[in-house]
Amino acid sequence: MYKQSSGDRIFDSINIAIMAVVFIVMAFPFLHLINYSLSNPSLVSGRFLFLPKQVNLDSYKAIFANGDVLHGIYISVARTILGTISMVLVTSMAAYVITRDDLVGIKFFRKYFVFTMYFSGGLIPTYILIKSLGLVGSFWVYIIPSAVSVFNMILIKTYIEGIPKELEESALMDGANDAYLFLKIILPICIPVIAAVSLFAGIGQWNSFIDTQFYNAMNPDLFPLQYILYNSFQSITSVEQFTMGTGAANTQLLTPQSLKIAMTVITVLPIMVVYPFLQRFFMKGLLIGSVKG
């Protein structure tokens, strides 16, 4: 049995202390937001809240009674699911293709994809391109431009290159074509890295709002939840303004601040719920290529 030296114990203790401080710094502000959103605003002072004061769910009731917020949740969920699926399919297929050394011009394409990671046309040329494709003012502007991620492509490519070539050769000898080989053999083996890049893409889609500002600012029917939250921080100045036409009761227990904080919690919770289920794949996917031999 391995026995730790005193130096190892000191090192581990310092690591634990540092991680505990990092956890407190990152977790406690969000804990304060949750407790604030569940508290009676009239009882909340400027101090940190370890527990809610007089549990009050009126902020959440008012938010879920607002049709714009519910529609924003629908748009966010739709773009997150469709955007993640399209990115995984398109990017993983491209990653598989650039692992094939027998492809004509493969060296050029590999360098071309890497080049696009460091150089882009800029905001105005990108907007002109999106507009010329007819995507401005449409839901698909959230999906199509993000279908290819070069960074994720390189991650998947590196993982595929670690798969024994004999597996592909035996499948081809048995009569499998490239499509069958990719969908039935390569893709299932790549589940760890697929889970990692899916988490990247899902978080990016869920948190994105700047593309709405650029392409759909005049189309309220396509506002995701994050953009509604962004607007609420600038525009909500009274409870009546937010609850007008929603039939929300007990507005005396609401404040603009409690509504904004409750909406912030709603936007963050889905990612916090999904992340633990993907964490084991996430860590394995990120360690791709870190060990040689």
Side-chain angles (χ1 to χ4, degrees), residues 25 38 53-54 59 62 99 126 154 163 183 248-249 252 257 274 291:
V25 170
L38 295 173
K53 291 189 175 182
Q54 189 179 329
S59 295
T99 62
T126 301
I154 293 175
I163 299 174
L183 294 174
Q252 65 271 19
Q257 184 73 359
V274 171
V291 178

Side-chain angles (χ1 to χ4, degrees), residues 15-173:
N15 277 342
I16 293 172
I18 292 174
M19 294 307 299
V21 171
V22 171
F23 173 79
I24 291 172
V25 170
M26 296 179 64
F28 274 29
F30 187 67
L31 178 63
H32 173 75
L33 290 180
I34 294 177
N35 291 330
Y36 190 108
S37 68
L38 295 173
S39 300
N40 185 334
S42 62
L43 301 178
V44 176
S45 61
R47 294 177 296 177
F48 183 87
L49 294 176
F50 288 95
L51 292 171
K53 291 189 175 182
Q54 189 179 329
V55 176
N56 167 42
L57 299 177
D58 289 348
S59 295
Y60 291 98
K61 292 177 182 178
I63 289 173
F64 286 111
N66 189 296
D68 292 337
V69 174
L70 293 178
H71 189 72
I73 293 175
Y74 167 75
I75 294 296
S76 290
V77 171
R79 70 173 293 179
T80 299
I81 294 175
L82 293 177
T84 301
I85 292 174
S86 65
M87 189 285 298
V88 168
L89 288 177
V90 175
T91 301
S92 60
M93 286 190 289
Y96 173 66
V97 168
I98 63 176
T99 62
R100 305 298 297 267
D101 293 329
D102 56 344
L103 180 67
V104 177
I106 186 60
K107 292 184 178 180
F108 167 78
F109 286 113
R110 288 171 181 167
K111 294 178 181 179
Y112 171 78
F113 282 124
V114 173
F115 178 85
T116 62
M117 292 180 62
Y118 299 99
F119 301 94
S120 67
L123 179 59
I124 295 177
T126 301
Y127 179 85
I128 294 173
L129 173 62
I130 297 297
K131 186 174 182 180
S132 65
L133 294 174
L135 297 177
V136 174
S138 73
F139 173 78
W140 296 107
V141 75
Y142 301 141
I143 309 300
I144 295 177
S146 61
V148 177
S149 169
V150 177
F151 176 77
N152 292 338
M153 185 192 303
I154 293 175
L155 285 180
I156 300 173
K157 168 184 172 292
T158 305
Y159 194 94
I160 293 175
E161 288 175 339
I163 299 174
K165 292 295 182 182
E166 292 77 11
L167 186 62
E168 296 184 38
E169 293 172 358
S170 63
L172 292 173
M173 290 177 63

